[in-house]
């Protein structure tokens, strides 16, 4: 019987390729992609980024990021994630989740939701230190 390290953490979660990513890269608008792929974390994260970059109200950015975050949790669970463990930034399909989480943290801070900022930024750091550095660092 092989040795199993009972103290090791869960294995990294690697999400499948998100078909919305190709549509966004092909020039489709984030709103159109959200309509055709409402389950897509990358579509919601991109919509939140677009809103932020266009000067939208922080509450709007927060709402888009929150949807992306919740869609991400659904996808993570369907792919074996048990509520904790690494979600590597280096795996491109994970970036929709990580971007949505970072945007949720930033927009929470912007609307004065300090507890949410702290939880989300810590969750991002715990999920992927590289994503934390790239997105919040």
């Amino acid at each position: 019987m092989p040795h199993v390290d009972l103290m090791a953490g869960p294995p990294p979660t690697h999400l499948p390729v998100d078909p919305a990513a190709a549509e966004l890269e092909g020039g489709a608008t984030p709103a159109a992609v959200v309509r055709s792929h409402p389950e897509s974390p990358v579509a919601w994260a991109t919509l939140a980024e677009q809103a932020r970059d266009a000067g939208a109200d922080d509450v709007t950015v927060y709402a888009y990021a929150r949807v992306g975050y919740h869609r991400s949790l659904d996808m993570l669970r369907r792919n074996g994630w048990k509520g904790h463990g690494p979600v590597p930034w280096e795996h491109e399909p994970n970036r929709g989740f990580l971007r949505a989480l970072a945007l949720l943290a930033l927009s929470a801070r912007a609307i004065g939701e300090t507890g949410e900022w702290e939880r989300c930024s810590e969750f991002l750091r715990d999920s992927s230190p590289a994503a934390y550095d790239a997105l919040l660092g």
Side-chain angles (χ1 to χ4, degrees):
M1 185 169 127
H3 172 72
V4 177
D5 183 355
L6 298 177
M7 299 301 288
T13 300
H14 294 101
L15 294 174
V17 171
D18 186 336
E23 291 182 29
L24 291 164
E25 289 171 13
T29 66
V33 176
V34 161
R35 285 184 180 93
S36 61
H37 299 282
E39 75 290 347
S40 169
V42 73
W44 285 102
T46 303
L47 189 61
E49 288 168 343
Q50 180 186 52
R52 178 201 60 203
D53 295 348
D57 183 271
D58 294 324
V59 173
T60 300
V61 177
Y62 179 88
Y64 291 153
R66 180 156 281 291
V67 173
Y69 167 73
H70 280 286
R71 293 302 183 128
S72 298
L73 293 178
D74 295 340
M75 188 175 288
L76 285 163
R77 288 182 188 111
R78 283 194 307 271
N79 285 278
W81 184 75
K82 303 293 186 208
H84 66 287
V87 183
W89 173 254
E90 296 76 14
H91 181 67
E92 185 75 31
N94 289 348
R95 290 187 179 189
F97 156 63
L98 297 165
R99 288 170 42 212
L101 181 56
L103 287 159
L104 182 57
L106 291 168
S107 59
R109 183 176 63 184
I111 66 171
E113 182 76 41
T114 305
E116 180 93 337
W117 152 254
E118 292 168 355
R119 284 187 302 279
C120 290
S121 59
E122 183 177 326
F123 184 16
L124 182 63
R125 185 182 302 114
D126 291 346
S127 297
S128 174
Y132 181 89
D133 291 346
L135 302 169
L136 298 182

